[in-house]
Amino acid sequence: MQLTILGCHSATPRIDTNPTSQVLQIKNHMFLIDCGEGTQVQLRKAKIKFNRIKHIFISHLHGDHYFGLVGLISTFRLLTRETDLHIYGPKGLKEVITLQMKLAESWTNYKLIFHELTSTKSELIFEDDKVEVHTIPLDHRVYTNGFLFKEKPGERKLDMNAIFNNDIDVAYYRKLKQGADVVDNKGELIKNSELTKAPAPVKIYAFCSDTAYNPSIVPIIKDADVLYHEATFLEKHAHLAPKTKHSTAKEAAEIAKLANVRALILGHYSTRYNDYEDFREEASSVFDNVLLSKDGKSFDFDDLRS
Ligand SMILES: [Zn+2]
């Protein structure tokens, strides 16, 4: 599982900084999370193949989180994409995108499937045999969701030494991987735990931007491996946070601590700051494992677990 930050700044694109967008590689998926202006250029810089993106998750309809979407959809069309594209986001997203395509008479030659969200409770919005995605209802000036990406447990691993010593027929391997007990060639029942090892632990990523300090999300993101939480302000500007429904670095760290996550990644920095180390320092007074997002930077979840 790997997270690539394409943009991690708030408000406007600038010479060296991009608004919010990330790519999460999980199992065989490349999920695009938010799509601020400039996302497709950042995707090219990160050498991510456009065709691998089949699902896009949009947190809310503030421009710094989706103004790159219609451009990306249009580029996919020009590149003669044929693969379906699923887009998950707040109700209204379909209207705003299709209006632009309609006025330009530029309909896509691939299937565009909108999954519009309206629930204020966490819901399962994507599932296949390896991965689940749930919404994380956030507290912002407009309807906003974060997203929880969760691997499903894999099959148990065969302990070939134990299998050989117990003389287990190959016909039982499939059942063993699924957790069943089996009978050996003498007709004796052997417990699954004696013949297999536990699968690798599942990995969980929680994306939370934009939001005011909101401890009600803690049960949803509990024990996640990695939490990306917005930290628009430092405590010295804490008075701006409730008004704009954003968080400070310290508040993000408090959520990380309450949720017992392994690592916290900060981002969505306000344009008023130039030194992001201050964010790390402030959050580190509350929570140990604080990392700073940076445009173009990748985080490998195996490294973050250790
Ligand atoms: Zn916003």
Coordinates of all heavy atoms in Angstrom, one line a residue, residues 183-216:
V183 N -8.9 -33.4 7.6 CA -8.6 -34.8 8.0 C -7.4 -35.3 7.3 O -7.3 -35.1 6.1 CB -9.9 -35.7 7.7 CG1 -9.6 -37.1 8.1 CG2 -11.1 -35.2 8.4
D184 N -6.5 -35.9 8.1 CA -5.3 -36.4 7.4 C -5.5 -37.8 6.8 O -6.6 -38.3 6.9 CB -4.1 -36.4 8.4 CG -4.3 -37.5 9.6 OD1 -5.2 -38.3 9.5 OD2 -3.5 -37.4 10.5
N185 N -4.5 -38.4 6.2 CA -4.7 -39.7 5.5 C -5.0 -40.8 6.4 O -5.4 -41.9 6.0 CB -3.4 -40.0 4.7 CG -3.4 -39.1 3.4 OD1 -4.5 -38.5 3.1 ND2 -2.3 -39.0 2.8
K186 N -4.8 -40.6 7.8 CA -5.3 -41.7 8.7 C -6.7 -41.5 9.2 O -7.1 -42.2 10.1 CB -4.3 -41.7 9.9 CG -2.9 -42.2 9.5 CD -2.0 -42.1 10.7 CE -0.6 -41.7 10.3 NZ -0.1 -40.6 11.0
G187 N -7.3 -40.4 8.8 CA -8.7 -40.1 9.2 C -8.8 -39.3 10.5 O -9.8 -39.1 11.0
E188 N -7.6 -38.7 10.9 CA -7.7 -37.9 12.1 C -7.9 -36.4 11.8 O -7.2 -35.9 10.8 CB -6.4 -38.1 12.9 CG -6.4 -39.3 13.8 CD -5.1 -39.5 14.5 OE1 -4.5 -38.6 14.9 OE2 -4.7 -40.7 14.6
L189 N -8.7 -35.7 12.6 CA -9.0 -34.3 12.4 C -7.8 -33.4 12.8 O -7.3 -33.6 14.0 CB -10.2 -33.9 13.1 CG -10.7 -32.5 12.8 CD1 -11.4 -32.4 11.4 CD2 -11.6 -31.9 13.9
I190 N -7.3 -32.6 12.0 CA -6.2 -31.7 12.4 C -6.7 -30.2 12.3 O -7.3 -29.8 11.3 CB -5.0 -31.9 11.5 CG1 -4.7 -33.4 11.4 CG2 -3.8 -31.1 12.0 CD1 -3.3 -33.7 11.3
K191 N -6.4 -29.5 13.4 CA -6.9 -28.1 13.5 C -6.1 -27.2 12.4 O -4.9 -27.4 12.2 CB -6.6 -27.6 14.9 CG -7.6 -28.0 15.9 CD -7.9 -26.8 16.8 CE -8.9 -27.1 17.9 NZ -10.1 -27.7 17.5
N192 N -6.9 -26.3 11.9 CA -6.3 -25.4 10.9 C -5.1 -24.7 11.4 O -4.1 -24.5 10.7 CB -7.4 -24.4 10.4 CG -6.9 -23.5 9.3 OD1 -6.1 -22.6 9.5 ND2 -7.4 -23.8 8.1
S193 N -5.1 -24.2 12.7 CA -4.0 -23.5 13.2 C -2.7 -24.2 13.3 O -1.6 -23.6 13.4 CB -4.4 -23.0 14.6 OG -4.7 -24.1 15.4
E194 N -2.8 -25.6 13.2 CA -1.5 -26.4 13.2 C -0.9 -26.5 11.8 O 0.2 -26.9 11.7 CB -1.8 -27.8 13.7 CG -2.2 -27.8 15.2 CD -2.6 -29.2 15.7 OE1 -2.1 -30.2 15.1 OE2 -3.5 -29.3 16.6
L195 N -1.7 -26.1 10.8 CA -1.2 -26.3 9.4 C -1.0 -25.0 8.7 O -0.5 -25.0 7.6 CB -2.2 -27.2 8.7 CG -2.4 -28.6 9.3 CD1 -3.6 -29.2 8.6 CD2 -1.2 -29.4 9.1
T196 N -1.5 -23.9 9.2 CA -1.4 -22.6 8.5 C -0.9 -21.5 9.4 O -0.9 -21.6 10.6 CB -2.8 -22.2 7.9 OG1 -3.7 -21.9 9.1 CG2 -3.4 -23.2 7.1
K197 N -0.5 -20.4 8.8 CA -0.1 -19.2 9.5 C -1.1 -18.1 9.2 O -1.7 -18.1 8.1 CB 1.3 -18.8 9.1 CG 2.3 -19.8 9.6 CD 3.7 -19.5 9.0 CE 4.7 -20.6 9.4 NZ 5.9 -20.5 8.6
A198 N -1.2 -17.1 10.1 CA -2.2 -16.0 9.9 C -1.7 -15.2 8.7 O -0.5 -15.1 8.4 CB -2.2 -15.1 11.1
P199 N -2.7 -14.6 8.0 CA -2.4 -13.8 6.8 C -1.8 -12.5 7.3 O -1.8 -12.1 8.5 CB -3.7 -13.5 6.2 CG -4.8 -13.7 7.2 CD -4.2 -14.7 8.2
A200 N -1.1 -11.7 6.4 CA -0.6 -10.4 6.8 C -1.7 -9.5 7.3 O -2.8 -9.6 6.8 CB 0.1 -9.8 5.6
P201 N -1.4 -8.7 8.4 CA -2.4 -7.9 8.9 C -2.9 -6.9 7.9 O -2.2 -6.4 7.0 CB -1.7 -7.1 10.1 CG -0.3 -7.4 10.0 CD -0.1 -8.6 9.0
V202 N -4.2 -6.5 7.9 CA -4.8 -5.6 6.9 C -4.3 -4.2 7.2 O -4.0 -3.9 8.3 CB -6.3 -5.6 6.9 CG1 -6.9 -7.0 6.6 CG2 -6.9 -5.2 8.3
K203 N -4.2 -3.4 6.1 CA -3.8 -2.0 6.3 C -5.0 -1.1 6.1 O -5.9 -1.4 5.3 CB -2.7 -1.7 5.3 CG -1.5 -2.5 5.5 CD -0.3 -2.0 4.6 CE 0.9 -3.0 4.7 NZ 0.8 -4.0 3.6
I204 N -5.0 0.0 6.8 CA -6.1 0.9 6.8 C -5.6 2.4 6.6 O -4.6 2.8 7.3 CB -7.0 0.9 8.1 CG1 -7.5 -0.6 8.2 CG2 -8.1 1.9 8.0 CD1 -8.2 -0.8 9.6
Y205 N -6.2 3.1 5.7 CA -5.8 4.5 5.5 C -7.0 5.4 5.6 O -8.1 5.1 5.0 CB -5.2 4.7 4.1 CG -5.0 6.2 3.7 CD1 -4.2 7.0 4.6 CD2 -5.5 6.8 2.6 CE1 -4.0 8.3 4.3 CE2 -5.3 8.1 2.3 CZ -4.5 8.9 3.2 OH -4.3 10.2 2.9
A206 N -6.9 6.4 6.5 CA -8.0 7.4 6.7 C -7.6 8.7 6.1 O -6.6 9.3 6.5 CB -8.3 7.5 8.2
F207 N -8.4 9.2 5.2 CA -8.2 10.6 4.6 C -9.2 11.5 5.2 O -10.4 11.3 5.0 CB -8.3 10.5 3.1 CG -8.4 11.8 2.4 CD1 -7.2 12.5 2.1 CD2 -9.6 12.4 2.1 CE1 -7.3 13.7 1.4 CE2 -9.7 13.6 1.5 CZ -8.5 14.3 1.1
C208 N -8.8 12.6 5.9 CA -9.7 13.5 6.5 C -9.4 15.0 6.2 O -8.6 15.6 6.9 CB -9.7 13.3 8.0 SG -10.3 11.7 8.5
S209 N -10.0 15.5 5.1 CA -9.8 16.9 4.8 C -11.0 17.3 4.0 O -11.4 16.5 3.1 CB -8.5 17.0 3.9 OG -8.2 18.3 3.6
D210 N -11.6 18.4 4.2 CA -11.4 19.4 5.2 C -12.3 19.2 6.4 O -13.5 18.8 6.2 CB -11.6 20.8 4.6 CG -10.7 21.2 3.5 OD1 -9.8 20.4 3.1 OD2 -10.9 22.2 2.9
T211 N -11.9 19.7 7.6 CA -12.7 19.5 8.7 C -12.3 20.3 9.9 O -11.1 20.6 10.1 CB -12.8 18.0 9.2 OG1 -13.7 17.9 10.2 CG2 -11.4 17.5 9.7
A212 N -13.3 20.8 10.7 CA -13.0 21.3 12.0 C -12.6 20.2 12.9 O -12.8 19.0 12.6 CB -14.2 22.1 12.5
Y213 N -12.1 20.5 14.1 CA -11.8 19.5 15.1 C -13.1 18.7 15.4 O -14.1 19.3 15.7 CB -11.3 20.1 16.4 CG -11.0 19.2 17.5 CD1 -9.9 18.3 17.4 CD2 -11.8 19.2 18.6 CE1 -9.7 17.4 18.5 CE2 -11.6 18.3 19.7 CZ -10.5 17.4 19.6 OH -10.3 16.5 20.6
N214 N -13.0 17.4 15.1 CA -14.3 16.6 15.2 C -14.0 15.2 15.7 O -13.9 14.2 15.0 CB -14.8 16.6 13.7 CG -16.1 15.8 13.6 OD1 -16.8 15.6 14.6 ND2 -16.5 15.4 12.4
P215 N -14.0 15.1 17.1 CA -13.8 13.8 17.7 C -14.8 12.7 17.4 O -14.5 11.5 17.6 CB -13.7 14.1 19.2 CG -13.8 15.5 19.3 CD -14.3 16.1 18.1
S216 N -15.9 13.1 16.8 CA -16.9 12.1 16.5 C -16.5 11.1 15.4 O -17.0 10.0 15.2 CB -18.3 12.7 16.1 OG -18.2 13.3 14.8

